[in-house]
Amino acid sequence: GEGPETANVYDNCRGMLKVASMADSLDPVTLSRLVSFASDFEERTGDRCFMVNSAFRTYGDQVSIYRSYSETLGEEYASEGEEYARLYVANPGYSEHHTGMAADLAVVFDDGSSVPIDQYQNYSIMREMIPSYGFILRYPEEKVAVTKIGNEPWHFRYVGVDAAKEIAEKKITFEEYVGHLKAGK
């Protein structure tokens, strides 16, 4: 299918988030929690700098993105394009963006300047705060062997507050968390 019911980020962000596309949308609960996080983050740090760089993606969007990465990079890097696509782009139908509960965040300041999110001076504060709003860093660098996806310091997934806090406290991935649940731990 085309995916879940979503809410437009721009129309519902109350000015707390910038958007890369006026069409970006998220699951309504995910969006509400992200806006709350951004508001509280600004209150704590004085920075209103988060931009939703990518949000909900249809199946068709996923096909196009995967094809684009593998073909474009394939031209430049021969067989590496397909490998890169496998490492950084989910197979169509398997992207967390298809759930409406994942957002790629960027840091863009009001003057238009930006920094890579993991080089942002308050990234550690962000990482400390965000589980309290139900989000996890989905693909951490030290867990590539578990997630099978390359390090994406910008990709955050809404999983609910209790799960996010447990995942952060235990320093585990979503895969490991689900495995613990299945094993009754």
Side-chain angles (χ1 to χ4, degrees):
E2 284 303 299
E5 184 176 321
T6 60
N8 182 276
V9 176
Y10 180 78
D11 292 343
N12 293 283
C13 71
R14 298 192 311 267
M16 294 309 306
L17 298 165
K18 297 168 180 73
V19 293
S21 167
M22 299 286 279
D24 276 338
S25 63
L26 288 167
D27 162 79
V29 172
T30 301
L31 178 55
S32 173
R33 299 304 295 154
L34 187 58
V35 169
S36 293
F37 160 73
S39 176
D40 292 347
F41 183 85
E42 179 185 16
E43 189 174 304
R44 180 168 172 186
T45 66
D47 286 347
R48 182 183 294 194
C49 60
F50 293 113
M51 178 176 78
V52 175
N53 205 25
S54 183
F56 171 73
R57 296 178 187 157
T58 65
Y59 181 82
D61 293 339
Q62 294 171 58
V63 169
S64 178
I65 291 167
Y66 190 89
R67 199 174 285 149
S68 173
Y69 271 85
S70 73
E71 289 173 2
T72 303
L73 290 170
E75 290 171 10
E76 192 171 335
Y77 300 106
S79 65
E80 292 178 23
E82 186 71 26
E83 280 182 45
Y84 184 90
R86 269 192 236 113
L87 190 58
Y88 288 99
V89 182
N91 284 326
Y94 293 90
S95 171
E96 291 193 337
H97 288 284
H98 194 67
T99 67
M101 295 181 187
D104 291 346
L105 300 179
V107 173
V108 179
F109 299 101
D110 290 338
D111 66 3
S113 64
S114 64
V115 296
I117 195 165
D118 57 339
Q119 294 174 25
Y120 169 50
Q121 67 181 1
N122 289 324
Y123 186 64
S124 62
I125 294 171
M126 175 196 184
R127 291 282 312 276
E128 170 194 317
M129 288 178 66
I130 208 156
S132 296
Y133 298 85
F135 291 89
I136 59 170
L137 174 64
R138 186 62 180 90
Y139 303 113
E141 184 171 23
E142 66 278 5
K143 295 289 190 163
V144 171
V146 176
T147 65
K148 307 294 189 246
I149 299 289
N151 176 35
E152 294 188 0
W154 57 82
H155 185 94
F156 292 86
R157 161 89 187 254
Y158 182 76
V159 296
V161 174
D162 292 341
K165 285 182 175 181
E166 185 174 342
I167 289 167
E169 285 170 12
K170 292 181 176 178
K171 295 181 171 64
I172 59 176
T173 64
F174 190 58
E175 288 84 358
E176 291 167 317
Y177 175 76
V178 170
H180 290 288
L181 291 178
K182 287 180 178 179
K185 294 179 184 178

